[in-house]
Amino acid sequence: MSAPKKRNFQIEAFKHRVVVDPKYAEKTWKILEHAIHEIYNHNASGLSFEELYRNAYNMVLHKYGEKLYAGLVMTMTSHLKEIAKSIEAAQGALFLEELNRKWTEHNKALQMIRDILMYMDRTFIPSAHKTPVHELGLNLWRDNIIHSSKIQTRLQDTLLELVQRERTGEVINRGLMRNIIKMLMDLCGSVYQENFEKPFLEVSADFYRRESQQFIECCDCGDYLKKAEKRLNEEIERVSQYMDVKSEGKITNVVEKELIESHMHRLVHMDNSGLVNMLVDDKYDDLGRMYSLFCRVPDGLPLIRDVMTSHIREIGKQLVTDPEKLKDPVDFVQRLLDEKDKHDKIISLAFNNDKTFQNALNSSFEYFINLNPRSPEFISLFVDDKLRKGLKGVSEEDVELVLDKVMMLFRYLQEKDVFEKYYKQHLAKRLLSGKTVSDDAERSLIVKLKTECGYQFTSKLEGMFTDMKTSQDTMQGFYAAMGADIADGPTLTVQVLTTGSWPTQSSSTCNLPPEILGVCEKFRTYYLGTHTGRRLSWQTNMGTADLKATFGKGQKHELNVSTYQMCILMLFNNADGLSYREIEQATEIPAADLKRCLQSLACVRGKNVLRKEPMSKDIAEDDAFFFNDNFQSKFYKVKIGTVVAQKESEPEKQETRQRVEEDRKPQIEAAIVRIMKARRVLDHNNIVAEVTKQLQSRFLPNPVVIKKRIESLIEREFLERDKVDRKLYRYLA
Amino acid sequence: MGIQKDRVRLNVGGKIFETTATTLAIAGRNSFFGAMFDEDWNLQPGSPTDHLIDRNPDCFAVLLDLLRTGELYIPSNIPEKLLYREALFYGLLDHVRSAKWGPFDGNRLRLSRSITGRAPGDGTAIRAGPDGGCCVAHGSMVHVYDWMLDEHPAINLDYQRVNDAGWIDSDSIVISACERVGRGDGGMGLFSASTGELRYKFNVTHDDQVKSYTAGALSFSSDDKIFSSCKGRSNEYGIGVWDQTTGKQIDFFYEPPAWSLGDADKLQWLHGTNCLLVATLFPRKDNCYISLLDFREKKMVWSWSDIGAPVFDEGLLDERRVRDAIAMEDTSSICVVNEYEDLGFMDLRSTGGSVRWSSRSRLMKGKMPDEPCYPKLALHEGQLFSSMNDSISVFCGPDWVLTSRLRRSYGGSICDFSIGGDRLFALHSEENVFDIWETPPPPIM
């Protein structure tokens, strides 16, 4: 501001000051102050609201708002100091009661004071940026009562002690507790947090740390979990009874941390009662409790999952590698299924059907089933067993159930093509010997395999079924065409099998007896006459025959034998005794098969239609065989089985393996070519990775084999190595 | 006595009133009567004695009728101001305000009052407050009126030229002003509507440095954000975003090349799409730029400009020139207006479309007043308002039919208008006067 210029004359402003009684403000305030005293002293009945309201109004109107406000703060403060003293003086248990009573009174007084000062609250306070009366009253209560040095710690200790007493089982006055804590929450700022919640959480952490230590020393895992669950529920209930809802998450965190997180490894691995024991003993309740408690803490569920996984892998490994358990394939697979059922039930009952647990279970099974290279064979044998006899008299739904379980195991297999090989063999045997129980079940399984692995996987299996059907029709046609021509001869049933659809076996033919040969030739003529351009060859190793035989004492039997055995027995129509070499010469049956046939004809008790010299278990090349006139059997029909290996023998296994490997070669090559055609240039590691990915639905290709296939393709000029970077391959179109 | 228990006898300034506690309870707990009859105060209704209230009996009669009927009738012998003061004493001012005028309907508006101010020069903007008050920007001053149309202390931001003003709530006004070269003043400030005090000044920071700036058009979002078009010293043009509660700058959308944001005339927050409409219009720039900004993705999601629009002849150019724009979320379109008050529409759902003009009011052409004001648009509850010269047109319905026209005889062209608090305020350019239009309370039957 610039300095005022010197003026020659001055005009006095016309001042007309309205002079209010100088003592007016003081007098009015005294009235109001007195009223506030009376309100605090429960003596308000003599007060006139209208008068007090008008006085407060007038003070604000005449610009004494500041004085009114300051007076209010002072008066209320002095009253609160008095109240503080009376609360401090309260002894023992009365302390909280007194605090609660005074708080209720203060609230009521505050409401009345606010009523009187309503006009100030509405006009003066907003424009002067003061704290509104109600909030002011709460703030003063906080500063003078709660934060008073003699009350603050005492209040905190009292509240915490009550909680502690409740934890040890005493009954406390929850209503009072609720009121006091509600008061702390009503006060602005972080009064509740600072004066109650924070120390409460600290004390609770201490308490549960000590208690958990005590529990873990003397309880087993199941009991510990029960106690922890109980404590957790107690705390949640406590919060709902008399604390701020926001505290629930915090206190449960504390309990979770102290009771569960700090001890979770010890709990899971506890001797004789830990997770593994619970799994073994199917303790669904305990497991469920463990799951629901552990899912509250970080890394809780992964811990359970890891322990469960390693446990399953361990028992699975034992199961698939124990030579004792490998003796019976059906039993072996049944054990796998039982193990799967057991753990499925645990996951559904106790682990809330948790997806991650299901995945862990699946990966564990996948891991150990593939540890045993014979798993595909065994699973196929299991199916074979079920489809041969196991499903008799079982309802359709149950059949489906069994098949679904088998499919589940099938899914775990890495070498699905090996399974296919065995399945095909077993299916062929079932079909040719007419042993399938249910066509529907067979087809249903094939449909399942098709959805799982695609059309290619099952096309040949379906072809086998078609062949069976066609053969039936062909035979009908044959007999209709021949009519009386062949009525006298033996009845011939031919199954025409498409080459390729069926498991190929070395077609070692034998010399058929002339009676049979005649009918066979007729059939050949008939068949080639109706289907031109085809070739028929006889798979004598797979046929069966029913023979009628009359023994020494005139007793008649029907012998059910294989084609080979039939050939041998027919020789004895013309001779009573024959040497091994003679039989071999006459029939030309391969030595191994011949020995097996003779063994079953001569060495099995109750089925020994032939007699061998010398009498021994094994067939030697210089043995001699005689028609056993003394043969006796209770049954009219005698089934002479070949000694067929149910399980494959070691050399057969090698052979199958060989064939599987051989079949894989073109598949791997096809995959390589497909990939390279799309990519043109690719390095070795990526090819291996992509081939593995493409083929993993059928089998897990060996990288060494892939490498060999790549080399072979380079040799045949499908691919070439990059001239600069030897790790790169190029596709040659 | 039964029924009589409710009865209350009041002696107001010597005049006896008999009423019921039920009627007085309508005033609510936060009023003189609510407190008086609370059980804390030993005043039982039905007690035989009169309760003395040392106030004006005539005004009390009006207010008692207000409590009885919910309607306000002020006899001519009672000054409005006196009644308002009495209502304030009893804590009934809110009741009076809500009974004073009815819910807003653009087709039933009546001129309530005209207020003449003392400000020199042309008005810049008028903004309606949420509870019936308004503020008027003239040059570097903003005059504030409450709903009783009492003027409060005027507001200025370093006495810099005010570009826009807006209400955050019934006691907070934000003002955007020009920056003075080298002084670091101007920009944007938050003021108390009742006292005129500056409460907060908003900063703009670029690269962690506080820069002075000129704030232009303002808009407020429903999630407590303030948007303003900004021009900085060193070409920092764009849209600034601040948080209403913390006052901190939380975002800045820089102007892309060959586009205009920092000079924008109009910002409009679109609640449904979470986007901001930014319009820069002739004559601030030679061309018009309208765009929608999505701040979450920092993207311009829709844009339109008349750059490169075919020019047939000079006359047609003016006709195609957009003078104001407003987004209408219900129909996903933008309404624009040219200087002859022709409305045009654009589809918000596809970018790069053209304006569909509805040639309606060519009549205006040729008879423009000496000092024309460019049209402005406003949208309120499905009614579209457009100011043109000395009148405001109201359009309704899906095809925006002209349904009403508000006009007053003096004051010259309307340079700005605003709707809020169930009132419409229109600011005239020639004389410093603004009109308040209200919808009368609903009819008795």
Side-chain angles (χ1 to χ4, degrees), chain A residues 50 53 57 111 114-115 122, chain B residues 29-30 52 54 89 91:
Chain A
E50 191 275 340
Y53 188 97
Y57 171 87
Q111 175 67 48
R114 194 182 156 261
D115 284 347
R122 184 172 289 128
Chain B
R29 180 63 184 83
N30 265 339
L52 176 79
D54 184 11
F89 172 85

Side-chain angles (χ1 to χ4, degrees), chain A residues 295-311:
Chain A
C295 75
R296 294 169 151 271
V297 299
D299 299 329
L301 292 188
L303 176 66
I304 301 184
R305 205 161 52 229
D306 292 348
V307 171
M308 181 189 84
T309 306
S310 62
H311 167 69

